[in-house]
Amino acid sequence: LLAKGADPRIYSSDGMRPVNVAATKEAIEFLEEWSEEETDVILLQIEEAQNREKDESNALHQNEENRLEDIVAGIQKEYNVMEKQLEKAHCELNKRIYEHDRGVAKDKGKDEITIQAINDAECHLDDIQQATEKVRQRLQEAKLKVRELRVQKTDEKPEDLPGLRISIREIDDVLLRDVGNKMKDSGKWTLLIDIGGQALTFLRYRDTNYVNALSPVHMAPDALRLSLLGALRFGKPLVIDLMDLDSWNVLAQRFDAIQPQLSEHILSQEILKEHCFKHLIRESDGPSYEVSEFNPTRLGNFKLFVVTKQWIPGDELIDLFYVIRVVIPGADAFASID
């Protein structure tokens, strides 16, 4: 035992050392003659061996983590491309529907061509949605492997996903009233993870400005400008439904098309200041939108809710927003990523 690093200087719970309880004279003499310096040398060797083993293990884990992160990065690029194609397919379908509605209004007897165009656009959208979903699942599975590998090195639990978990009944207190000022104190706007869609329905039936991120009508520069400006002017939430998107970048491009760096001003909450929001006002907006009509109290009530159905959103969204998860009691939170 001594040769393997057992330390004869350690006291037991009742204050005794090995030499005090040795059963034979030979054992007592051996313990008394044993060099403490030799024990220190053995213990140092053991510690060095353990550190080498730990370093080797960490290096293996880090190499594997780097490999998995490279895979995630590759799939993420693929997913970004699919996301753009999905947005384009949604816009194309909405255009075909709009053309059909205009054509029917002008000539009700000639709608076969536009109906066929709508059918083709719907089929194309369905194909893109299925392809995007496959890539999304691969991306989520790859991210899951990275998280599981990190769990082996830390005390993090697999279910410790970022975000405050709330029930449907808590939506009003947490989102609209911000009881406890958690959202305000975070300094960020809110990313609402709502896989069931119930929270989004709740918000749409409240006094909010709703924007569908894949609607060409909602995302048209002037329409988006008025949605934002109206929410600021009247002190109410701007709700942006990401639909099938999983990135802030698409929204940022649309906001910046209205005014350079507008997306940055929104995220930094600089948009709440007069020197910033006044540039959104147009003469055609009328007297209700004059700068003098913007009340500081109402500006303070403005909120931005970005809503997604993705249980594990992209890292960009998680980093930029204060994350809240709507959890349905008894439901399998991870069913959507199986």
Side-chain angles (χ1 to χ4, degrees), residues 187 189 228 232 248 255-256 259-273 275-280 302 304:
W189 299 122
L228 172 60
L232 291 166
W248 169 254
F255 280 120
D256 292 345
Q259 177 182 308
Q261 296 184 310
L262 178 56
S263 62
E264 295 179 18
H265 294 156
I266 292 173
L267 289 177
S268 67
Q269 303 192 6
E270 195 74 9
I271 192 65
L272 300 176
K273 299 179 180 179
H275 72 84
C276 188
F277 70 71
K278 70 179 183 180
H279 296 294
L280 295 176
F302 169 83
L304 173 62

Side-chain angles (χ1 to χ4, degrees), residues 55-71 146 149 153:
D55 290 342
E56 290 172 1
S57 177
N58 287 340
L60 289 173
H61 272 87
Q62 190 60 53
N63 290 337
E64 180 64 9
E65 186 174 330
N66 292 340
R67 185 185 72 83
L68 292 174
E69 285 180 343
D70 288 342
I71 293 175
V146 173
L149 188 64
K153 299 192 298 180

